[in-house]
Amino acid sequence: QTLDSEFSIKHQHNPIHHIETRVKSLNSIVKKLHDTGIPISMDNAKKNLHDIAGVRVVCSFPEDVRTIAKALLSQDDIILIEKKDYILNPKQNGYRSLHLIVSIPIYLANGKREMKVEVQLRTIAMDMWASLEHELRYKSDRNFSDSDAARLRLCSEAISEIDREMQRICAGGTLGKIMYAEGEYNHPIDVWDI
């Protein structure tokens, strides 16, 4: 949120549309350990699960995702453990997002501890697709077919093209000219050099 405020003041652009956070429930932690065949214990959860704490950062434009990821990883107290780029390499089902597993310090009464956090960065369009795909695949009472899966992949491709077009519109407008002139947005949107 601090990065969000700084970008908003410095660049007259708010790259973060919204942020969601969550902490896995104890039942979810136990289930994930059980499902992966890992003996259930707090030590094993800390050692093997990278998504006990999660942050989803939803950005307006694809370039905002890259900019926020770079800004986050440039912090001297955040360590990148793993990067999964589902924007450049979408999942088979069409899912797109940039996932970063990072280690961050948390400060407790008895001292500092490192905690693993999964940070998901995506655009508003990617977030819409992911939410609706989850609703259709897992929450509805209908039988989800191979045809449905294929249609969702096509929707993902169409939404990706919309993201690219919105980025091009942004780059050509006043907002884009300000952002490009300041050197923040000087990479093609398909380059993820973090």
Side-chain angles (χ1 to χ4, degrees):
Q1 289 174 339
T2 302
L3 289 174
D4 185 27
S5 298
E6 180 183 336
F7 275 96
S8 188
I9 292 166
K10 185 177 175 188
H11 304 288
Q12 300 175 344
H13 171 63
N14 192 339
I16 299 174
H17 183 267
H18 70 274
I19 298 171
E20 301 168 17
T21 60
R22 65 123 180 90
V23 176
K24 261 192 192 309
S25 69
L26 184 57
N27 287 343
S28 292
I29 292 169
V30 169
K31 182 179 182 332
K32 190 161 188 179
L33 288 171
H34 180 267
D35 290 350
T36 54
I38 298 170
I40 298 168
S41 74
M42 286 303 288
D43 283 341
N44 281 338
K46 288 179 195 173
K47 215 181 304 179
N48 297 290
L49 301 183
H50 301 310
D51 63 345
I52 292 174
V55 177
R56 180 173 298 138
V57 181
V58 180
C59 300
S60 298
F61 301 103
E63 186 67 19
D64 293 339
V65 171
R66 190 195 70 78
T67 299
I68 293 299
K70 276 187 98 165
L72 178 69
L73 295 175
S74 71
Q75 306 302 310
D76 63 4
D77 58 350
I78 295 178
I79 299 165
L80 178 65
I81 296 171
E82 183 179 359
K83 175 179 113 177
K84 293 180 182 175
D85 191 341
Y86 299 119
I87 296 174
L88 200 55
N89 302 298
K91 285 188 175 183
Q92 174 84 21
N93 67 352
Y95 175 83
R96 296 169 194 266
S97 185
L98 177 63
H99 290 206
L100 306 174
I101 307 296
V102 296
S103 176
I104 63 165
I106 56 170
Y107 299 91
L108 305 169
N110 60 350
K112 179 175 91 167
R113 291 200 184 145
E114 295 294 320
M115 180 167 193
K116 294 176 192 166
V117 177
E118 179 184 51
V119 180
Q120 297 177 357
L121 298 117
R122 59 177 73 153
T123 65
I124 298 166
M126 292 172 202
D127 192 54
M128 178 202 68
W129 183 92
S131 296
L132 294 175
E133 188 268 351
H134 185 77
E135 178 74 24
L136 291 168
R137 188 179 294 265
Y138 302 109
K139 301 291 184 181
S140 72
D141 55 359
R142 61 192 294 261
N143 290 328
F144 193 81
S145 68
D146 289 343
S147 172
D148 293 331
R151 290 167 66 197
L152 280 171
R153 280 191 300 279
L154 289 173
C155 288
S156 172
E157 291 169 18
I159 286 170
S160 181
E161 180 53 38
I162 290 169
D163 258 345
R164 285 191 292 274
E165 184 61 21
M166 295 300 258
Q167 185 70 60
R168 287 189 286 269
I169 292 168
C170 175
T174 304
L175 174 62
K177 289 175 184 167
I178 291 168
M179 290 169 5
Y180 280 91
E182 292 174 351
E184 288 297 323
Y185 292 80
N186 56 2
H187 299 284
I189 63 169
D190 290 330
V191 175
W192 299 90
D193 59 350
I194 55 171

